[in-house]
């Protein structure tokens, strides 16, 4: 099946090779597959075309006069979100293959290569790129800069995305389970975007950010005079999501009263506003997410068993970043581009990509994003160096913290280091970690830390 086009989107490929016969061969083969191609006769011309044009994929020879394929790879990744790079060479060695992959190349093929193998790689890339372009087109049209594509290269995430696209057209409730910072809302948005409800609203709700006393009113609305401060009738978020998708993040933090109301709503999609007797109905798909073990909460009586089974008709587990390390270089370059609008950082020194890939990232993608933002601001221009990375990251990596230690230990030491750097300010620490204060407090309690002003005596060693 031709995967180069979808919904009138044509994949654009930059072909860079100093061999004229190879360029002609590739242009003909790729054009027959429906790709749009532009050629560069050497590395220098490829770099100029990258500056002037907008390509989705770069296919480049490794050894060329002037700039090398590695130079083209660095430029492609620093300048655009949609330029995964495939390197070709007749001088294939294990060392150069490993080096190119460390630098963030999507793949590496040795000449002479089987055309079918190359076309398979390109179709695989097209499956990722087309949805990303669609999202960017929607972003430009709607002016919503908060939307951006899901970046992935790893098999673990490819498997997840295949399931996401399979379940999108279903009307069943979906429960997303993962650690903090893995991108649960992005996955929920992707399910909505690929569904027949994509024309409707996507309404995200952070359950843990709304007080228990207000949560029911926020979700289901209220009638004027139903409680102090209710000076007018107000529709709830479920009504705003009518015809679309309601995303409830941190569902494990929902109090028992609202759990019961939500269960009733899921049974027949009917509800009453607080203080009202009128029964209302909406057509809403519910997606929920949690970083807690809901099954364990059910066993402990902290979460309704009947609600759990209603929410978990389809359960998707988002892999932590340490289990999808192949995604780290692509994510790092994505965040470099995102935060580089006011600066001129051109990329990473090779050892930086190694360090980023080797680290365990207990805070997952959100933590990686924070580290890259920090580095871009400090570097401002040129290649990012080790000294530009956050102090907590340098201490962790210099101490060989990562694969050699348990995740719980890495997370614990990272949180305690940040808490100390923030002079015990839990709100600030939670913001840096990308979690809410309640979650941070629960983690600190599990470490035996109860004092709001700092560490217990046995934690200060």
């Amino acid at each position: 099946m031709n995967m180069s086009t979808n919904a009138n989107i044509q994949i654009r490929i930059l072909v860079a090779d100093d061999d004229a016969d190879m360029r002609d061969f590739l242009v003909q083969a790729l054009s027959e597959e429906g790709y749009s191609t532009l050629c560069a006769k050497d590395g220098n011309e490829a770099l100029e075309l990258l500056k002037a044009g907008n390509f989705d994929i770069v296919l480049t020879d490794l050894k060329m006069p002037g700039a090398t394929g590695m130079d083209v790879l660095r430029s492609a990744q620093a300048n655009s979100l949609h330029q995964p790079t495939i390197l070709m060479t007749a001088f294939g060695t294990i060392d150069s293959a490993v080096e190119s992959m460390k630098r963030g190349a999507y793949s590496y093929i040795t000449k002479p290569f089987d055309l079918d193998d190359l076309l398979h790689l390109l179709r695989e890339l097209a499956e990722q790129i087309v949805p990303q372009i669609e999202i960017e087109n929607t972003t430009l049209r709607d002016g919503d800069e908060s939307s951006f594509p899901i970046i992935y290269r790893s098999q673990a995430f490819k498997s997840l995305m295949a399931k996401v696209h399979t379940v999108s057209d279903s009307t069943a409730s979906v429960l997303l389970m993962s650690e903090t910072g893995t991108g649960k809302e992005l996955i929920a948005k992707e399910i909505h975007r690929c569904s027949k409800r994509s024309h409707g609203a996507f309404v995200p709700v952070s359950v843990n950010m709304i007080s228990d006393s207000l949560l029911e009113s926020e979700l289901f609305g209220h009638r004027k005079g139903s409680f102090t401060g209710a000076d007018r009738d107000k529709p709830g978020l479920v009504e705003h999501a009518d015809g679309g998708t309601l995303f409830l993040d941190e569902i494990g933090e929902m109090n028992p009263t609202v759990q019961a109301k939500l269960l009733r709503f899921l049974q027949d999609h009917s509800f009453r506003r607080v203080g009202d007797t009128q029964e209302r109905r909406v057509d809403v798909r519910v997606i929920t997410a949690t970083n807690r073990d809901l099954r364990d909460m059910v066993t402990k009586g902290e979460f309704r068993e009947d609600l759990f089974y209603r929410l978990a008709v389809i359960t998707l587990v988002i892999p932590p970043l340490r289990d999808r390390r192949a995604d780290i270089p692509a994510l790092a370059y994505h965040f470099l581009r995102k935060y580089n609008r006011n600066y001129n950082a051109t990329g990473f020194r090779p050892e930086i990509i190694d360090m980023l890939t080797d680290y365990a990232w207990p805070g997952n993608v959100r933590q990686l994003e924070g580290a890259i933002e920090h580095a871009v601001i400090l570097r401002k221009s040129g290649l990012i160096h080790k000294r530009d990375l956050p102090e907590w990251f340098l201490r962790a990596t210099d101490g060989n913290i990562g694969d050699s230690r348990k995740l719980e230990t890495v997370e614990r030491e990272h949180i305690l280091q940040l808490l100390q750097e923030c002079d015990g300010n839990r709100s600030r620490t939670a913001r840096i970690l990308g979690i809410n204060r309640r979650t941070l407090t629960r983690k600190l309690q599990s470490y035996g830390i109860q004092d709001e002003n700092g560490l217990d005596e046995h934690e200060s060693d």
Side-chain angles (χ1 to χ4, degrees):
M1 182 175 64
N2 188 328
M3 287 298 297
S4 63
T5 58
N6 182 33
N8 298 319
I9 293 174
Q10 188 174 40
I11 300 299
R12 299 151 298 184
I13 302 178
L14 173 62
V15 177
D17 199 307
D18 59 323
D19 184 330
D21 290 338
M22 176 59 73
R23 291 198 304 271
D24 292 342
F25 165 73
L26 288 171
V27 168
Q28 180 178 346
L30 299 182
S31 297
E32 289 176 356
E33 288 291 310
Y35 297 101
S36 172
T37 60
L38 190 63
C39 288
K41 66 180 183 298
D42 57 35
N44 291 337
E45 186 175 355
L47 294 180
E48 290 302 315
L49 288 172
L50 281 172
K51 291 178 182 177
N54 188 10
F55 303 97
D56 302 309
I57 299 173
V58 176
L59 180 60
T60 180
D61 193 20
L62 182 60
K63 294 195 174 182
M64 296 180 290
T68 68
M70 286 293 193
D71 295 325
V72 174
L73 169 65
R74 281 192 290 269
S75 179
Q77 293 192 325
N79 292 335
S80 177
L81 188 65
H82 293 312
Q83 291 173 341
T85 301
I86 299 173
L87 287 165
M88 308 177 291
T89 183
F91 305 89
T93 66
I94 295 299
D95 288 343
S96 59
V98 170
E99 181 65 18
S100 68
M101 299 303 281
K102 284 182 177 179
R103 298 284 184 94
Y106 183 81
S107 192
Y108 176 100
I109 57 176
T110 305
K111 298 177 180 177
F113 53 82
D114 187 322
L115 179 60
D116 287 339
D117 291 341
L118 174 60
L119 294 178
H120 174 76
L121 277 174
L122 293 174
R123 283 192 292 268
E124 188 178 74
L125 273 172
E127 290 176 356
Q128 296 185 40
I129 291 170
V130 169
Q132 294 176 8
I133 296 173
E134 290 175 340
I135 291 174
E136 281 209 335
N137 289 345
T138 301
T139 299
L140 292 173
R141 184 170 63 249
D142 298 341
D144 179 12
E145 294 188 357
S146 64
S147 298
F148 60 91
I150 300 173
I151 308 300
Y152 62 97
R153 301 286 185 270
S154 65
Q155 189 56 52
F157 221 80
K158 288 177 186 176
S159 297
L160 171 67
M161 293 305 291
K163 295 175 183 176
V164 164
H165 295 142
T166 297
V167 307
S168 292
D169 275 342
S170 164
T171 59
S173 299
V174 178
L175 173 63
L176 303 176
M177 300 182 68
S178 72
E179 297 173 5
T180 297
T182 55
K184 295 185 285 291
E185 185 169 338
L186 276 180
I187 297 297
K189 284 182 178 179
E190 180 72 359
I191 294 172
H192 172 75
R193 187 190 70 82
C194 295
S195 73
K196 295 175 182 177
R197 299 173 172 272
S198 59
H199 64 281
F202 176 86
V203 180
V205 183
S206 294
V207 172
N208 58 339
M209 296 298 183
I210 304 173
S211 67
D212 289 346
S213 60
L214 291 178
L215 184 56
E216 181 183 353
S217 171
E218 287 295 312
L219 286 178
F220 301 109
H222 61 255
R223 187 176 179 181
K224 180 179 178 180
S226 57
F227 56 85
T228 302
D231 55 358
R232 58 186 174 84
D233 288 351
K234 179 184 176 183
L237 294 172
V238 296
E239 291 177 74
H240 289 299
D242 192 12
T245 303
L246 179 69
F247 173 58
L248 300 174
D249 196 9
E250 302 296 354
I251 191 68
E253 305 295 336
M254 182 173 283
N255 68 70
T257 300
V258 183
Q259 286 183 36
K261 298 280 187 179
L262 179 61
L263 175 63
R264 180 178 180 274
F265 173 71
L266 290 171
Q267 287 170 343
D268 57 12
H269 289 269
S270 65
F271 66 98
R272 294 174 184 169
R273 293 178 181 176
V274 175
D276 200 357
T277 58
Q278 180 183 347
E279 196 82 6
R280 302 172 189 270
R281 292 183 63 85
V282 290
D283 176 21
V284 172
R285 184 185 194 175
V286 176
I287 301 175
T288 55
T290 182
N291 60 6
R292 302 183 67 180
D293 186 343
L294 288 189
R295 292 184 180 87
D296 183 58
M297 293 180 68
V298 168
T299 301
K300 293 178 179 178
E302 298 172 353
F303 199 85
R304 293 183 65 116
E305 184 176 22
D306 46 6
L307 176 58
F308 171 75
Y309 288 117
R310 280 282 181 179
L311 297 176
V313 175
I314 297 171
T315 301
L316 298 178
V317 179
I318 304 175
L321 193 53
R322 65 184 178 278
D323 290 343
R324 44 180 293 217
R325 294 180 189 271
D327 296 335
I328 292 175
L331 285 165
Y333 276 101
H334 164 62
F335 293 131
L336 172 69
R337 180 178 183 269
K338 178 180 177 181
Y339 292 107
N340 207 21
R341 293 172 182 171
N342 298 322
Y343 305 102
N344 192 33
T346 56
F348 301 92
R349 291 184 60 85
E351 67 270 17
I352 301 303
I353 294 297
D354 291 343
M355 292 173 67
L356 296 175
T357 304
D358 289 342
Y359 185 54
W361 297 107
N364 292 292
V365 179
R366 189 181 292 131
Q367 186 186 14
L368 171 64
E369 179 176 4
I372 301 304
E373 181 182 10
H374 179 282
V376 169
I377 292 171
L378 286 189
R379 168 50 44 183
K380 291 185 171 57
S381 64
L383 292 175
I384 289 175
H385 291 243
K386 180 178 178 180
R387 61 179 175 270
D388 303 320
L389 294 166
E391 185 65 29
W392 59 259
F393 177 82
L394 297 178
R395 284 201 302 267
T397 51
D398 286 345
N400 295 319
I401 298 173
D403 295 340
S404 61
R405 308 185 71 175
K406 290 184 178 180
L407 175 67
E408 292 82 2
T409 303
V410 176
E411 180 183 69
R412 178 181 182 278
E413 294 194 2
H414 174 56
I415 289 175
L416 294 183
Q417 285 172 358
L418 279 179
L419 184 65
Q420 199 168 47
E421 290 176 7
C422 294
D423 298 323
N425 187 315
R426 297 191 179 196
S427 297
R428 184 181 171 202
T429 303
R431 283 196 301 272
I432 294 173
L433 290 168
I435 61 178
N436 62 78
R437 196 175 187 280
R438 189 185 307 177
T439 300
L440 175 62
T441 298
R442 189 170 62 246
K443 287 181 178 293
L444 293 176
Q445 287 173 347
S446 72
Y447 307 151
I449 300 172
Q450 304 294 336
D451 181 7
E452 281 284 321
N453 297 316
L455 308 181
D456 282 350
E457 183 178 354
H458 68 279
E459 294 289 348
S460 61
D461 295 335

